Coordinates of all heavy atoms in Angstrom, one line a residue:
M1337 N 3.0 29.4 32.1 CA 3.1 28.0 31.7 C 3.4 28.1 30.2 O 2.8 28.8 29.4 CB 1.7 27.4 31.9 CG 1.5 26.0 31.3 SD -0.1 25.4 31.5 CE 0.1 24.0 32.4
T1338 N 4.3 27.4 29.8 CA 4.8 27.2 28.3 C 4.1 26.1 27.7 O 3.9 25.1 28.2 CB 6.3 27.2 28.2 OG1 6.7 25.9 28.9 CG2 7.0 28.3 28.9
A1339 N 3.9 26.3 26.3 CA 3.3 25.3 25.6 C 4.4 24.3 25.2 O 5.4 24.6 25.0 CB 2.7 26.0 24.3
Q1340 N 3.9 23.1 25.4 CA 4.7 21.9 25.0 C 4.8 21.8 23.4 O 3.8 22.0 22.7 CB 4.2 20.6 25.6 CG 4.2 20.6 27.1 CD 5.5 20.6 27.6 OE1 6.5 20.0 27.1 NE2 5.8 21.4 28.7
P1341 N 6.0 21.3 22.9 CA 6.0 21.2 21.3 C 5.1 20.1 21.1 O 4.9 19.1 21.8 CB 7.5 20.9 21.2 CG 8.0 20.5 22.5 CD 7.2 21.1 23.5
D1342 N 4.5 20.2 19.8 CA 3.7 19.2 19.4 C 4.5 18.0 18.9 O 5.3 18.1 17.8 CB 2.8 19.7 18.1 CG 1.8 18.7 17.6 OD1 1.5 17.8 18.4 OD2 1.4 18.9 16.5
V1343 N 4.5 17.0 19.7 CA 5.4 15.8 19.4 C 4.6 14.7 18.7 O 3.4 14.4 19.2 CB 5.9 15.1 20.6 CG1 6.7 13.8 20.3 CG2 6.8 16.2 21.4
Q1344 N 4.9 14.3 17.5 CA 4.2 13.3 16.7 C 4.5 11.9 17.2 O 5.7 11.6 17.3 CB 4.5 13.4 15.2 CG 3.7 12.3 14.4 CD 4.0 12.4 13.0 OE1 4.9 13.1 12.5 NE2 3.1 11.9 12.1
R1345 N 3.5 11.2 17.8 CA 3.7 9.8 18.3 C 3.4 8.9 17.3 O 2.4 8.9 16.5 CB 2.8 9.7 19.5 CG 3.2 10.6 20.6 CD 2.3 10.3 21.9 NE 2.8 11.0 23.0 CZ 2.4 12.4 23.3 NH1 1.5 12.9 22.6 NH2 2.9 13.0 24.3
V1346 N 4.2 7.9 17.2 CA 4.1 6.9 16.2 C 3.4 5.6 16.9 O 3.9 5.1 17.9 CB 5.4 6.3 15.7 CG1 5.1 5.2 14.7 CG2 6.0 7.5 15.0
D1347 N 2.2 5.3 16.5 CA 1.4 4.3 17.0 C 2.1 2.8 16.6 O 2.2 2.5 15.4 CB 0.0 4.2 16.5 CG -0.9 3.1 17.1 OD1 -0.3 2.2 17.8 OD2 -2.1 3.2 16.8
P1348 N 2.6 2.1 17.5 CA 3.2 0.7 17.1 C 2.2 -0.2 16.5 O 2.6 -1.0 15.7 CB 3.6 0.1 18.6 CG 2.8 0.8 19.5 CD 2.4 2.2 19.1
E1349 N 0.9 0.2 16.6 CA -0.1 -0.7 15.9 C -0.4 -0.1 14.5 O -1.2 -0.7 13.7 CB -1.3 -0.8 16.7 CG -1.2 -1.5 18.0 CD -0.7 -2.9 17.9 OE1 -1.2 -3.7 17.1 OE2 0.3 -3.3 18.5
A1350 N 0.1 1.1 14.2 CA -0.3 1.6 12.9 C 0.2 1.0 11.7 O 1.3 0.4 11.9 CB 0.3 3.1 12.9
Q1351 N -0.5 0.8 10.8 CA -0.3 0.1 9.6 C -0.6 1.0 8.3 O -1.8 1.2 8.1 CB -1.0 -1.3 9.4 CG -0.7 -2.2 10.5 CD 0.7 -2.8 10.6 OE1 1.4 -2.7 9.6 NE2 1.1 -3.2 11.8
R1352 N 0.5 1.5 7.7 CA 0.3 2.4 6.7 C 0.6 1.9 5.3 O 1.8 1.5 5.2 CB 1.1 3.8 7.0 CG 0.9 4.8 6.0 CD 1.8 6.1 6.4 NE 1.3 7.2 5.6 CZ 1.9 7.6 4.4 NH1 2.8 6.8 3.8 NH2 1.5 8.6 3.8
V1353 N -0.1 2.1 4.4 CA 0.2 1.8 2.9 C 0.3 3.0 2.2 O -0.6 3.9 2.3 CB -0.8 0.7 2.4 CG1 -0.6 0.5 1.0 CG2 -0.7 -0.7 3.1
E1354 N 1.2 3.1 1.2 CA 1.3 4.2 0.4 C 1.5 3.7 -1.0 O 2.3 2.7 -1.4 CB 2.6 5.0 0.8 CG 2.9 6.2 -0.2 CD 4.1 6.9 0.2 OE1 4.1 7.7 1.1 OE2 5.2 6.6 -0.4
I1355 N 0.8 4.2 -1.9 CA 0.9 4.0 -3.3 C 1.3 5.1 -4.1 O 0.6 6.1 -4.2 CB -0.5 3.4 -3.9 CG1 -0.9 2.1 -3.2 CG2 -0.3 3.1 -5.4 CD1 -2.4 1.7 -3.5
E1356 N 2.5 5.2 -4.6 CA 3.1 6.2 -5.3 C 2.9 5.9 -6.8 O 3.2 4.9 -7.2 CB 4.5 6.6 -5.0 CG 5.1 7.8 -5.7 CD 6.6 8.0 -5.2 OE1 7.2 7.2 -4.6 OE2 7.0 9.1 -5.9
Y1357 N 2.3 6.9 -7.5 CA 2.0 6.6 -8.9 C 2.4 7.7 -9.8 O 2.5 9.0 -9.2 CB 0.4 6.4 -9.0 CG -0.3 7.6 -8.7 CD1 -0.8 8.6 -9.7 CD2 -0.7 8.0 -7.3 CE1 -1.5 9.7 -9.3 CE2 -1.4 9.0 -7.1 CZ -1.7 9.9 -8.0 OH -2.5 11.1 -7.7
C1358 N 2.7 7.6 -11.0 CA 3.0 8.7 -12.0 C 1.8 9.4 -12.5 O 0.9 8.9 -13.1 CB 3.8 8.1 -13.1 SG 4.4 9.2 -14.3
T1359 N 1.8 10.7 -12.2 CA 0.8 11.6 -12.8 C 1.0 11.7 -14.3 O -0.1 11.9 -15.0 CB 0.8 12.9 -12.0 OG1 2.1 13.6 -12.1 CG2 0.4 12.8 -10.6
Q1360 N 2.2 11.9 -14.7 CA 2.4 12.1 -16.2 C 1.8 10.9 -16.9 O 1.5 11.2 -18.1 CB 3.9 12.2 -16.5 CG 4.5 13.3 -15.7 CD 6.0 13.3 -15.7 OE1 6.6 12.2 -15.4 NE2 6.8 14.5 -16.0
C1361 N 1.9 9.7 -16.4 CA 1.4 8.5 -17.0 C -0.1 8.3 -16.9 O -0.7 7.3 -17.5 CB 2.2 7.3 -16.6 SG 4.0 7.4 -16.7
R1362 N -0.7 9.1 -16.0 CA -2.2 9.0 -15.8 C -2.5 7.7 -15.1 O -3.4 7.0 -15.5 CB -2.9 9.3 -17.1 CG -2.7 10.4 -17.9 CD -3.6 11.5 -17.4 NE -3.5 12.7 -18.3 CZ -3.2 13.9 -17.8 NH1 -3.0 14.1 -16.5 NH2 -3.0 14.9 -18.7
W1363 N -1.6 7.3 -14.1 CA -1.9 6.1 -13.4 C -2.8 6.2 -12.2 O -2.8 5.3 -11.4 CB -0.6 5.4 -13.2 CG 0.0 4.9 -14.3 CD1 -0.5 4.5 -15.5 CD2 1.5 4.4 -14.5 NE1 0.3 4.0 -16.4 CE2 1.6 4.0 -15.9 CE3 2.6 4.5 -13.6 CZ2 2.8 3.6 -16.3 CZ3 3.8 4.2 -14.3 CH2 3.9 3.6 -15.5
L1364 N -3.4 7.3 -11.9 CA -4.2 7.6 -10.8 C -5.3 6.5 -10.7 O -5.6 5.9 -9.7 CB -4.8 9.0 -10.6 CG -5.9 9.2 -9.6 CD1 -5.3 8.8 -8.2 CD2 -6.4 10.6 -9.7
P1365 N -6.1 6.2 -11.8 CA -7.1 5.2 -11.7 C -6.6 3.8 -11.4 O -7.2 3.2 -10.5 CB -7.7 5.2 -13.2 CG -7.4 6.6 -13.7 CD -6.1 6.9 -13.3
R1366 N -5.4 3.5 -11.8 CA -4.9 2.2 -11.4 C -4.5 2.1 -10.0 O -4.8 1.3 -9.2 CB -3.7 1.9 -12.2 CG -3.0 0.5 -12.1 CD -1.7 0.4 -12.8 NE -1.9 0.4 -14.3 CZ -1.9 -0.5 -15.0 NH1 -1.6 -1.8 -14.6 NH2 -2.1 -0.6 -16.3
A1367 N -3.9 3.4 -9.5 CA -3.6 3.4 -8.0 C -4.7 3.4 -7.1 O -4.9 2.7 -6.2 CB -2.7 4.7 -7.8
A1368 N -5.8 4.1 -7.6 CA -7.1 4.2 -6.8 C -7.8 2.9 -6.7 O -8.3 2.5 -5.7 CB -8.0 5.2 -7.4
W1369 N -7.8 2.1 -7.9 CA -8.5 0.8 -7.9 C -7.5 -0.2 -6.9 O -8.2 -0.8 -6.1 CB -8.4 0.2 -9.3 CG -8.9 -1.2 -9.4 CD1 -10.1 -1.6 -9.1 CD2 -8.0 -2.3 -9.8 NE1 -10.0 -3.0 -9.3 CE2 -8.9 -3.4 -9.8 CE3 -6.7 -2.5 -10.1 CZ2 -8.4 -4.7 -10.0 CZ3 -6.2 -3.7 -10.4 CH2 -7.1 -4.8 -10.5
L1370 N -6.3 -0.1 -6.9 CA -5.5 -1.1 -6.1 C -5.7 -0.5 -4.6 O -5.8 -1.3 -3.8 CB -4.0 -0.9 -6.3 CG -3.1 -1.9 -5.7 CD1 -3.5 -3.2 -5.7 CD2 -1.6 -1.5 -6.1
A1371 N -5.8 0.7 -4.3 CA -6.2 1.2 -3.0 C -7.5 0.6 -2.6 O -7.6 0.2 -1.4 CB -6.0 2.7 -2.9
Q1372 N -8.4 0.7 -3.3 CA -9.8 0.2 -3.0 C -9.7 -1.3 -2.7 O -10.3 -1.8 -1.7 CB -10.7 0.5 -4.1 CG -12.1 -0.2 -3.9 CD -13.0 0.0 -5.1 OE1 -12.9 1.0 -5.8 NE2 -13.9 -1.0 -5.4
E1373 N -9.0 -2.1 -3.6 CA -8.7 -3.6 -3.2 C -8.1 -3.8 -1.9 O -8.6 -4.5 -1.0 CB -8.0 -4.2 -4.2 CG -8.6 -4.2 -5.7 CD -9.7 -5.4 -5.6 OE1 -9.4 -6.4 -5.2 OE2 -10.7 -5.1 -6.2
L1374 N -7.1 -3.0 -1.5 CA -6.5 -3.1 -0.4 C -7.2 -2.7 0.8 O -7.3 -3.3 2.0 CB -5.1 -2.3 -0.3 CG -4.1 -2.9 -1.2 CD1 -2.9 -2.0 -1.3 CD2 -3.6 -4.3 -0.9
L1375 N -8.0 -1.6 0.8 CA -8.8 -1.1 1.8 C -10.0 -2.1 2.1 O -10.5 -2.3 3.2 CB -9.4 0.2 1.6 CG -8.4 1.4 1.7 CD1 -8.9 2.7 1.1 CD2 -7.9 1.4 3.1
T1376 N -10.6 -2.7 1.0 CA -11.5 -3.8 1.2 C -11.1 -5.1 1.9 O -11.8 -5.6 2.8 CB -12.2 -4.1 -0.1 OG1 -12.7 -2.9 -0.8 CG2 -13.3 -5.1 -0.1
T1377 N -9.9 -5.4 1.5 CA -9.4 -6.7 2.1 C -8.7 -6.5 3.4 O -9.0 -7.4 4.3 CB -8.1 -7.1 1.2 OG1 -8.6 -7.4 -0.2 CG2 -7.5 -8.4 1.7
F1378 N -8.2 -5.4 3.8 CA -7.6 -5.2 5.1 C -8.4 -4.1 5.8 O -7.7 -3.1 6.4 CB -6.1 -4.9 4.9 CG -5.4 -5.9 4.3 CD1 -5.0 -5.8 2.9 CD2 -4.9 -7.0 4.9 CE1 -4.3 -6.7 2.2 CE2 -4.2 -8.0 4.3 CZ -4.0 -7.8 2.9
E1379 N -9.6 -4.1 5.9 CA -10.4 -3.0 6.4 C -10.2 -2.8 7.9 O -10.4 -1.6 8.4 CB -12.0 -3.1 6.2 CG -12.5 -4.4 6.6 CD -13.9 -4.6 6.1 OE1 -14.4 -3.9 5.3 OE2 -14.7 -5.4 6.6
T1380 N -9.8 -3.8 8.6 CA -9.5 -3.6 10.1 C -8.2 -3.6 10.4 O -7.7 -3.1 11.5 CB -10.3 -4.7 10.9 OG1 -9.8 -6.1 10.5 CG2 -11.8 -4.7 10.7
E1381 N -7.3 -4.0 9.4 CA -5.9 -4.0 9.7 C -5.1 -2.7 9.3 O -4.1 -2.4 10.1 CB -5.2 -5.2 8.9 CG -5.6 -6.6 9.4 CD -6.9 -7.0 8.9 OE1 -7.4 -6.4 8.0 OE2 -7.3 -8.2 9.2
L1382 N -5.6 -2.0 8.4 CA -4.9 -0.7 7.9 C -5.4 0.3 8.6 O -6.6 0.5 8.9 CB -5.1 -0.6 6.4 CG -4.5 -1.7 5.6 CD1 -4.6 -1.2 4.0 CD2 -2.9 -1.8 5.9
T1383 N -4.6 1.3 9.1 CA -4.8 2.6 9.7 C -4.9 3.7 8.8 O -5.4 4.7 9.1 CB -4.0 2.9 11.0 OG1 -2.7 2.8 10.6 CG2 -4.2 1.8 12.0
E1384 N -4.1 3.5 7.7 CA -4.0 4.6 6.7 C -3.6 4.0 5.3 O -2.8 3.1 5.3 CB -2.9 5.6 7.2 CG -2.8 6.7 6.2 CD -1.8 7.7 6.8 OE1 -1.1 7.5 8.0 OE2 -1.5 8.8 6.2
L1385 N -4.1 4.7 4.3 CA -3.7 4.3 2.9 C -3.6 5.7 2.2 O -4.5 6.4 2.1 CB -4.7 3.4 2.2 CG -4.1 2.8 0.9 CD1 -4.4 1.4 0.7 CD2 -4.4 3.7 -0.2
A1386 N -2.4 6.0 1.6 CA -2.1 7.2 1.0 C -1.9 7.0 -0.5 O -1.2 6.1 -0.8 CB -1.0 8.0 1.6
L1387 N -2.3 7.9 -1.3 CA -2.0 7.9 -2.7 C -1.1 9.2 -2.9 O -1.4 10.1 -2.4 CB -3.2 8.2 -3.6 CG -4.3 7.1 -3.6 CD1 -5.5 7.5 -4.4 CD2 -3.6 5.7 -4.0
K1388 N 0.1 8.8 -3.4 CA 1.2 9.9 -3.5 C 1.6 10.1 -5.0 O 2.0 9.3 -5.6 CB 2.4 9.4 -2.6 CG 3.5 10.3 -2.8 CD 4.7 9.9 -2.0 CE 5.9 10.8 -2.2 NZ 7.1 10.3 -1.4
P1389 N 1.2 11.4 -5.5 CA 1.5 11.6 -6.9 C 3.0 11.7 -7.0 O 3.7 12.2 -6.2 CB 0.9 13.1 -6.9 CG 0.0 13.3 -6.0 CD 0.4 12.3 -4.8
G1390 N 3.4 11.2 -8.1 CA 4.9 11.1 -8.5 C 5.0 11.3 -10.0 O 4.1 11.6 -10.7
K1391 N 6.2 11.2 -10.4 CA 6.6 11.4 -11.9 C 7.5 10.4 -12.3 O 8.2 9.6 -11.5 CB 7.3 12.8 -12.1 CG 6.1 14.0 -11.8 CD 6.8 15.4 -12.1 CE 5.8 16.3 -11.8 NZ 6.2 17.7 -12.0
G1392 N 7.8 10.5 -13.6 CA 8.8 9.5 -14.2 C 8.5 8.1 -14.2 O 9.4 7.3 -14.1
G1393 N 7.3 7.7 -14.4 CA 6.9 6.3 -14.6 C 6.8 5.6 -13.2 O 6.9 4.3 -13.3
V1394 N 6.8 6.2 -12.1 CA 6.7 5.5 -10.8 C 5.5 4.9 -10.5 O 4.4 5.3 -10.8 CB 7.1 6.5 -9.7 CG1 6.2 7.5 -9.5 CG2 7.6 5.8 -8.3
F1395 N 5.6 3.6 -10.0 CA 4.3 3.0 -9.4 C 4.9 2.0 -8.3 O 5.4 1.0 -8.6 CB 3.7 2.2 -10.5 CG 2.2 1.8 -9.9 CD1 1.1 2.7 -10.2 CD2 1.9 0.7 -9.2 CE1 -0.1 2.3 -9.7 CE2 0.7 0.3 -8.8 CZ -0.4 1.2 -9.0
V1396 N 4.8 2.5 -7.1 CA 5.5 1.8 -6.0 C 4.5 1.7 -4.8 O 3.8 2.6 -4.5 CB 6.8 2.6 -5.5 CG1 7.3 2.0 -4.2 CG2 7.8 2.7 -6.6
V1397 N 4.4 0.5 -4.3 CA 3.6 0.2 -3.0 C 4.5 0.1 -1.9 O 5.5 -0.8 -1.9 CB 2.7 -1.0 -3.4 CG1 1.9 -1.2 -2.0 CG2 1.8 -0.9 -4.6
R1398 N 4.2 0.8 -0.8 CA 5.1 0.7 0.4 C 4.1 0.4 1.6 O 3.1 0.9 1.6 CB 5.7 2.0 0.7 CG 6.7 2.5 -0.3 CD 7.4 3.8 0.0 NE 8.3 4.2 -0.9 CZ 8.0 4.9 -2.0 NH1 6.8 5.2 -2.1 NH2 9.1 5.2 -2.9
V1399 N 4.6 -0.4 2.6 CA 3.9 -0.7 3.8 C 4.9 -0.3 4.9 O 6.0 -0.7 5.0 CB 3.7 -2.2 3.9 CG1 3.0 -2.4 5.3 CG2 2.8 -2.7 2.9
N1400 N 4.4 0.8 5.6 CA 5.2 1.3 6.7 C 6.6 1.7 6.2 O 7.6 1.4 6.8 CB 5.3 0.3 7.9 CG 4.0 0.0 8.5 OD1 3.1 0.9 8.5 ND2 3.7 -1.1 8.9
D1401 N 6.7 2.3 5.0 CA 7.9 2.9 4.4 C 8.8 1.8 3.8 O 9.8 2.1 3.3 CB 8.7 3.7 5.3 CG 8.0 5.0 5.8 OD1 7.3 5.5 5.0 OD2 8.1 5.4 6.9
E1402 N 8.4 0.5 3.8 CA 9.1 -0.5 3.1 C 8.6 -0.8 1.7 O 7.2 -1.0 1.6 CB 9.0 -1.9 4.0 CG 9.7 -3.1 3.4 CD 9.4 -4.3 3.9 OE1 8.7 -4.3 5.1 OE2 9.8 -5.4 3.4
V1403 N 9.3 -0.8 0.7 CA 8.8 -1.1 -0.6 C 8.5 -2.5 -0.8 O 9.4 -3.4 -0.4 CB 9.9 -0.6 -1.7 CG1 9.4 -1.1 -3.0 CG2 10.2 0.8 -1.7
V1404 N 7.2 -2.7 -1.0 CA 6.8 -4.2 -1.3 C 6.6 -4.5 -2.7 O 6.3 -5.6 -3.1 CB 5.6 -4.5 -0.4 CG1 5.9 -4.4 1.1 CG2 4.4 -3.7 -0.8
W1405 N 6.4 -3.4 -3.5 CA 6.2 -3.6 -5.1 C 6.8 -2.3 -5.7 O 6.3 -1.2 -5.5 CB 4.7 -3.8 -5.4 CG 4.6 -4.4 -6.7 CD1 4.6 -3.9 -8.0 CD2 4.5 -5.8 -7.0 NE1 4.6 -4.7 -9.0 CE2 4.4 -5.9 -8.4 CE3 4.6 -6.9 -6.2 CZ2 4.5 -7.2 -9.0 CZ3 4.4 -8.1 -6.8 CH2 4.3 -8.3 -8.2
D1406 N 7.5 -2.7 -6.7 CA 8.1 -1.4 -7.5 C 7.9 -1.9 -9.0 O 8.5 -2.9 -9.4 CB 9.5 -1.3 -7.3 CG 10.2 0.0 -8.0 OD1 9.7 0.3 -9.1 OD2 11.1 0.5 -7.5
R1407 N 7.2 -1.2 -9.8 CA 6.9 -1.5 -11.2 C 8.2 -1.5 -12.0 O 8.2 -2.5 -12.9 CB 6.0 -0.4 -11.8 CG 5.6 -0.6 -13.2 CD 5.2 0.6 -13.9 NE 6.2 1.6 -14.0 CZ 7.2 1.6 -15.0 NH1 7.3 0.7 -15.8 NH2 8.0 2.6 -14.9
R1408 N 9.1 -0.8 -11.7 CA 10.4 -0.9 -12.5 C 11.1 -2.1 -12.4 O 11.8 -2.6 -13.3 CB 11.2 0.3 -12.0 CG 10.8 1.7 -12.5 CD 11.8 2.7 -12.3 NE 11.2 4.0 -12.8 CZ 11.1 5.1 -12.3 NH1 11.4 5.0 -10.8 NH2 10.7 6.2 -12.7
E1409 N 10.9 -2.8 -11.2 CA 11.5 -4.1 -11.0 C 10.6 -5.4 -11.3 O 11.2 -6.3 -11.7 CB 12.1 -4.3 -9.6 CG 13.2 -3.2 -9.3 CD 13.6 -3.2 -7.9 OE1 13.2 -4.1 -7.1 OE2 14.3 -2.3 -7.5
Q1410 N 9.3 -5.2 -11.0 CA 8.5 -6.3 -11.0 C 7.2 -6.1 -11.9 O 6.5 -7.1 -12.1 CB 7.9 -6.6 -9.6 CG 8.9 -6.8 -8.5 CD 8.5 -6.4 -7.2 OE1 8.4 -5.2 -6.8 NE2 8.2 -7.4 -6.4
G1411 N 7.2 -5.0 -12.7 CA 6.1 -4.8 -13.6 C 4.9 -4.4 -12.9 O 4.9 -4.2 -11.6
F1412 N 3.8 -4.2 -13.6 CA 2.6 -3.9 -12.8 C 2.1 -5.0 -12.1 O 2.1 -6.2 -12.5 CB 1.5 -3.3 -13.8 CG 1.6 -1.9 -14.1 CD1 2.0 -1.4 -15.4 CD2 1.3 -0.9 -13.2 CE1 2.0 -0.2 -15.7 CE2 1.5 0.4 -13.4 CZ 1.8 0.8 -14.7
P1413 N 1.6 -4.9 -10.9 CA 1.2 -5.8 -9.9 C -0.2 -6.2 -10.2 O -1.0 -5.5 -10.5 CB 1.2 -5.3 -8.6 CG 1.0 -3.7 -8.7 CD 1.5 -3.4 -10.1
E1414 N -0.4 -7.5 -10.0 CA -1.8 -8.1 -9.9 C -2.1 -7.8 -8.5 O -1.4 -7.9 -7.5 CB -1.8 -9.6 -10.3 CG -1.4 -9.9 -11.7 CD -2.5 -9.5 -12.6 OE1 -3.7 -9.5 -12.3 OE2 -2.3 -9.1 -13.7
P1415 N -3.5 -7.6 -8.2 CA -3.9 -7.3 -7.0 C -3.5 -8.4 -6.0 O -3.2 -8.1 -4.8 CB -5.4 -7.1 -7.0 CG -5.7 -6.8 -8.5 CD -4.5 -7.4 -9.3
T1416 N -3.7 -9.7 -6.4 CA -3.4 -10.8 -5.5 C -2.1 -10.7 -5.0 O -1.8 -10.9 -3.8 CB -3.6 -12.1 -6.3 OG1 -5.0 -12.2 -6.7 CG2 -3.3 -13.3 -5.4
A1417 N -0.9 -10.3 -5.9 CA 0.5 -10.3 -5.4 C 0.6 -9.2 -4.4 O 1.3 -9.4 -3.4 CB 1.2 -10.1 -6.6
V1418 N -0.1 -8.1 -4.6 CA 0.2 -6.9 -3.7 C -0.5 -7.3 -2.3 O 0.0 -7.0 -1.3 CB -0.4 -5.7 -4.2 CG1 -0.3 -4.5 -3.2 CG2 0.4 -5.2 -5.4
K1419 N -1.7 -7.9 -2.5 CA -2.4 -8.3 -1.2 C -1.6 -9.2 -0.3 O -1.5 -9.1 0.8 CB -3.9 -9.0 -1.5 CG -4.7 -8.0 -2.0 CD -6.1 -8.7 -2.4 CE -7.1 -7.8 -3.0 NZ -8.4 -8.5 -3.3
Q1420 N -1.0 -10.2 -1.0 CA -0.2 -11.1 -0.3 C 1.1 -10.4 0.4 O 1.4 -10.7 1.5 CB 0.3 -12.3 -1.2 CG -0.8 -13.2 -1.6 CD -0.4 -14.1 -2.7 OE1 0.6 -13.9 -3.5 NE2 -1.2 -15.2 -2.8
A1421 N 1.7 -9.5 -0.4 CA 2.8 -8.7 0.2 C 2.5 -7.9 1.4 O 3.2 -7.9 2.4 CB 3.5 -7.9 -0.8
V1422 N 1.2 -7.2 1.3 CA 0.7 -6.4 2.3 C 0.4 -7.3 3.5 O 0.8 -7.0 4.7 CB -0.5 -5.6 1.9 CG1 -1.1 -5.0 3.1 CG2 0.0 -4.5 0.9
R1423 N -0.3 -8.4 3.2 CA -0.8 -9.3 4.3 C 0.5 -9.9 5.1 O 0.4 -9.9 6.3 CB -1.5 -10.5 3.8 CG -2.1 -11.5 4.7 CD -1.2 -12.7 5.1 NE -0.5 -13.2 3.9 CZ -1.1 -14.2 3.2 NH1 -2.2 -14.8 3.3 NH2 -0.3 -14.7 2.1
D1424 N 1.4 -10.2 4.4 CA 2.7 -10.6 5.1 C 3.2 -9.7 6.2 O 4.0 -10.2 7.0 CB 3.7 -11.1 4.0 CG 3.3 -12.3 3.2 OD1 2.3 -13.0 3.5 OD2 3.9 -12.7 2.2
R1425 N 3.1 -8.4 6.0 CA 3.6 -7.4 6.8 C 2.6 -7.0 7.9 O 3.0 -6.6 8.9 CB 4.1 -6.3 6.0 CG 5.5 -6.7 5.3 CD 5.7 -5.9 4.0 NE 6.8 -6.5 3.3 CZ 7.0 -7.3 2.5 NH1 5.9 -8.1 2.1 NH2 8.0 -7.8 1.9
V1426 N 1.3 -6.9 7.5 CA 0.4 -6.3 8.6 C -0.5 -7.4 9.2 O -1.1 -7.0 10.3 CB -0.5 -5.3 7.9 CG1 0.3 -4.0 7.1 CG2 -1.5 -5.8 6.9
A1427 N -0.7 -8.5 8.5 CA -1.6 -9.5 9.2 C -1.2 -10.9 8.7 O -1.9 -11.6 8.1 CB -2.9 -9.2 8.9
P1428 N 0.1 -11.3 9.1 CA 0.5 -12.7 8.6 C -0.4 -13.8 8.8 O -0.4 -14.8 8.0 CB 1.8 -12.9 9.2 CG 2.1 -11.7 10.0 CD 1.0 -10.8 10.1
E1429 N -1.2 -13.8 9.8 CA -2.1 -14.8 10.1 C -3.5 -14.8 9.2 O -4.1 -15.8 9.3 CB -2.6 -14.9 11.7 CG -3.4 -13.8 12.0 CD -2.8 -12.3 12.0 OE1 -1.5 -12.1 12.0 OE2 -3.6 -11.4 12.1
K1430 N -3.7 -13.8 8.5 CA -4.8 -13.6 7.8 C -5.0 -14.4 6.6 O -3.9 -14.4 5.7 CB -5.1 -12.0 7.4 CG -6.3 -11.8 6.6 CD -6.4 -10.2 6.4 CE -7.7 -9.9 5.6 NZ -8.9 -9.8 6.6
S1431 N -6.0 -15.1 6.3 CA -6.3 -15.9 5.1 C -6.7 -15.0 4.0 O -7.6 -14.2 4.4 CB -7.3 -16.9 5.3 OG -7.6 -17.6 4.2
L1432 N -6.3 -15.0 2.9 CA -6.9 -14.4 1.7 C -7.8 -15.2 0.9 O -8.1 -14.8 -0.3 CB -5.7 -13.8 0.8 CG -4.8 -12.8 1.7 CD1 -3.7 -12.3 0.6 CD2 -5.6 -11.6 2.1
G1433 N -8.2 -16.3 1.4 CA -9.1 -17.1 0.7 C -8.6 -17.7 -0.6 O -7.5 -18.1 -0.7
H1434 N -9.4 -17.5 -1.6 CA -8.8 -18.0 -3.0 C -7.6 -17.5 -3.4 O -6.9 -18.0 -4.2 CB -10.1 -17.8 -3.9 CG -10.4 -16.4 -4.3 ND1 -11.1 -15.6 -3.6 CD2 -9.8 -15.7 -5.4 CE1 -11.0 -14.4 -4.1 NE2 -10.4 -14.4 -5.2
S1435 N -7.3 -16.1 -2.9 CA -6.1 -15.6 -3.4 C -4.8 -16.2 -2.8 O -3.7 -16.1 -3.3 CB -6.1 -14.1 -2.9 OG -7.1 -13.3 -3.5
D1436 N -4.9 -17.0 -1.9 CA -3.9 -17.9 -1.2 C -3.6 -19.1 -1.9 O -2.6 -19.8 -1.7 CB -4.1 -18.1 0.2 CG -3.7 -16.9 1.0 OD1 -2.8 -16.2 0.7 OD2 -4.2 -17.0 2.3
R1437 N -4.6 -19.6 -2.8 CA -4.4 -20.9 -3.4 C -3.5 -20.8 -4.6 O -3.5 -19.9 -5.3 CB -5.8 -21.4 -4.0 CG -6.7 -21.6 -2.8 CD -8.0 -22.3 -3.3 NE -9.0 -22.1 -2.3 CZ -10.2 -21.7 -2.6 NH1 -10.6 -21.2 -3.7 NH2 -11.0 -21.6 -1.5
P1438 N -2.5 -21.7 -4.6 CA -1.6 -21.7 -5.8 C -2.3 -21.9 -7.1 O -3.5 -22.4 -7.2 CB -0.7 -23.0 -5.5 CG -1.3 -23.7 -4.5 CD -2.4 -22.9 -3.9
G1439 N -1.8 -21.2 -8.2 CA -2.3 -21.0 -9.5 C -2.6 -22.5 -10.1 O -3.4 -22.8 -10.7

């Protein structure tokens, strides 16, 4: 009997967020704080949240490999803006309470 190759299966229900941050800029605390905010808000919707060290001033938030926030184009995100971008992709029906109210 031959061993079957280890095939990675992608769960269609998987919802992965990645926050890539610049280690040179010491942005780990900011990335970790944003990760905590997202994990608290989407505790049942997200299956994974990764912090990815990077360089060169990077601060990018991705949902399932789609960029939803890039500091170079949009500046540093307010948590509400990132929560709305993540919600729109992983749980469009979810209310964010006071975060959904217009300013």
